[in-house]
Amino acid sequence: MAEPITEADLRERISAFLADHDPAGDRLAFLRARFDAGLAWVHFPVGLGGLAAGRALQPVADDAFAAAGAPDNRPSRIGIGLGMAAPTILVHGTDAQRTRFLRPLWTGEEVWCQLFSEPGAGSDLAGLATRARRDGDGWLLDGQKVWTSMAHVARWAILLARTDPDVPKHAGLTFFVLDMTAPGVEVRPLRQLTGEAEFNEVYLTGVRVPDEHRLGDVGAGWKVAQTTLMNERVSIGGGALPREGGMIGVLARAWREQPAVRTPGMHDTVMRLWVRAEAARLTGLRVRQQLAAGAPGPDGSAVKLSFATLNQQISAAELDLRGDEGLRRDSWAMSRPDDVDFTGRDTGYRYLRAKGNSIEGGTSEVLRNIIAERVLGLPAEPRVDTRVAWKDLPR
């Protein structure tokens, strides 16, 4: 059995890699070589971009490459791939699927999106109606998905569809990888409160998916989706941040830069939000450490819930602090961004965009139910729809 990778070992490997690969050279070639050297996500298996090292060593690798001026893989563009698709493929994918998808996903050559929510199945995801019917050695998909971030630039999608309407709703689902360029896939923009269309609705009409793009067993889609959803909540709410990273850093800088507008009341607000943000950051660190022992648990729901609540309160405090200046927007023009950036825009954008944080990635109401039932052990709400065939449920 190989000796575990230590921090000293990792730093030595990175130094040797940087000696042989110029960070200022071809960006894509550098990223591909970094993946092949096992220095992409170091906790992944050898041959899949990793070294089978401890997850705690990932920041060491990221910081070392950043200090060397190495190009990154634009995580704001490929966050769904990194935080949701990759861990799902790693856990439930075949060797062929892992080999085919993980490398171009990490390098950013192929953008991913998530096709879960539907007009009639958002919070009640298991009630979704998109159908997948057997067609020879593949499947034909028909249905509609909604609130799909980055679908307009995505090459691939992770998708949940109903393969058996004659069993209870959770049991009749199957998980697929969908080619977003396949015939029958139509992406339409959904314009948001911010003026742009980061989200989309996706129509599927007779879209053929080969069976080798099925992830997990037929009928095991809900089990596979749990891996995606738990990782999604940690990815959204528990990302690795330094102290005063994210939205609280924006508010803290605004406070320090504008002493003339400070008041005792605002001082109290900023300090309370700062303390809560730091507590949330440390909680996110603890939840990420749980990943080293396996898949994330329901604690990720608390992290994501805190993220949404804090972002909305912090952005409102920044708006109050900046006064009339905070109401200005750089542009209300319709656009379709190619990345998701919560903090690197103007005050008005941050305030409006934060409103969606309590909906995307699991609504705050659903997350509170998960925390109550699966973290606190409170009695579950009475449910009768889990024992009835999906086709017989009222819709």
Side-chain angles (χ1 to χ4, degrees):
M1 184 174 179
E3 291 291 323
I5 300 292
T6 66
E7 181 175 338
D9 295 333
L10 180 59
R11 292 189 182 280
E12 184 177 341
R13 288 172 183 255
I14 293 172
S15 296
F17 179 86
L18 291 171
D20 293 335
H21 300 84
D22 181 9
D26 182 85
R27 175 182 176 277
L28 184 55
F30 184 92
L31 292 173
R32 287 173 173 171
R34 178 178 166 182
F35 183 95
D36 295 340
L39 299 172
W41 29 46
V42 299
H43 55 285
F44 270 43
V46 174
L48 296 176
L51 300 170
R55 181 179 289 269
L57 291 178
Q58 187 62 48
V60 175
D62 292 339
D63 291 347
F65 279 107
D72 67 18
N73 54 2
R74 292 189 65 188
S76 63
R77 176 179 169 86
I78 61 172
I80 293 173
L82 295 175
M84 303 172 211
T88 306
I89 293 169
L90 180 66
V91 173
H92 299 283
T94 63
D95 288 342
Q97 289 168 339
R98 296 186 191 107
T99 300
R100 165 60 186 87
F101 293 123
L102 290 179
R103 186 177 189 249
L105 182 159
W106 187 84
T107 61
E109 295 170 76
E110 295 178 342
V111 177
W112 287 68
C113 66
Q114 178 193 41
L115 296 176
F116 277 20
S117 295
E118 299 181 4
S123 297
D124 181 22
L125 178 61
L128 62 84
T130 293
R131 289 295 310 276
R133 297 175 175 85
R134 272 287 193 180
D135 180 52
D137 59 352
W139 301 81
L140 288 179
L141 269 60
D142 291 277
Q144 179 188 357
K145 300 292 184 176
V146 74
W147 307 123
T148 307
S149 297
M150 309 306 291
H152 55 289
V153 296
R155 173 66 173 80
W156 297 99
I158 46 176
L159 178 144
L160 201 55
R162 185 161 306 282
T163 48
D164 188 351
D166 298 321
V167 297
K169 59 183 181 179
H170 293 85
L173 302 174
T174 302
F175 202 106
F176 296 94
V177 170
L178 175 70
D179 182 352
M180 290 294 289
T181 67
V185 177
E186 181 185 1
V187 178
R188 300 179 187 176
L190 284 175
R191 194 172 190 187
Q192 300 154 227
L193 188 62
T194 58
E196 61 189 18
E198 167 197 327
F199 294 115
N200 304 271
E201 52 185 346
V202 179
Y203 291 84
L204 308 168
T205 307
V207 181
R208 196 171 195 284
V209 178
D211 192 55
E212 58 262 32
H213 285 177
R214 171 173 47 82
L215 211 59
D217 295 334
V218 175
W222 188 251
K223 176 183 177 181
V224 180
Q226 291 311 296
T227 300
T228 306
L229 293 171
M230 292 300 106
N231 277 281
E232 176 183 32
R233 287 154 192 166
V234 175
S235 173
I236 292 176
L241 291 173
R243 178 172 289 180
E244 289 196 6
M247 294 281 267
I248 194 61
V250 176
L251 177 60
R253 286 193 298 274
W255 172 262
R256 295 182 181 117
E257 292 168 359
Q258 301 185 84
V261 300
R262 297 176 189 169
T263 65
M266 181 58 71
H267 181 261
D268 181 71
T269 297
V270 172
M271 288 303 301
R272 287 177 183 274
L273 290 172
W274 193 97
V275 170
R276 289 178 57 199
E278 180 64 8
R281 184 184 74 86
L282 295 174
T283 302
L285 175 62
R286 178 176 60 82
V287 171
R288 289 197 307 278
Q289 289 172 342
Q290 292 176 354
L291 295 174
D299 288 3
S301 296
V303 174
K304 195 273 171 178
L305 175 62
S306 177
F307 165 85
T309 303
L310 274 170
N311 268 5
Q312 292 173 355
Q313 293 175 348
I314 291 170
S315 62
E318 184 196 1
L319 195 66
D320 288 343
L321 182 64
R322 295 192 183 276
D324 294 346
E325 184 66 25
L327 297 175
R328 296 182 179 179
R329 285 293 319 281
D330 53 4
S331 174
W332 287 98
M334 166 66 172
S335 64
R336 305 186 78 182
D338 64 357
D339 65 3
V340 179
D341 184 0
F342 290 136
T343 60
R345 306 282 287 276
D346 57 52
T347 304
Y349 174 88
R350 283 189 287 271
Y351 176 76
L352 295 175
R353 181 61 182 83
K355 300 303 181 186
N357 293 165
S358 54
I359 302 173
E360 59 198 344
T363 67
S364 293
E365 292 77 13
V366 168
L367 297 182
R368 289 188 178 96
N369 273 351
I370 292 173
I371 294 166
E373 297 174 11
R374 299 179 60 188
V375 178
L376 302 179
L378 298 178
E381 292 185 356
R383 300 286 297 272
V384 297
D385 60 347
T386 58
R387 298 185 296 274
V388 179
W390 176 83
K391 68 178 183 181
D392 296 327
L393 293 175
R395 280 183 293 278

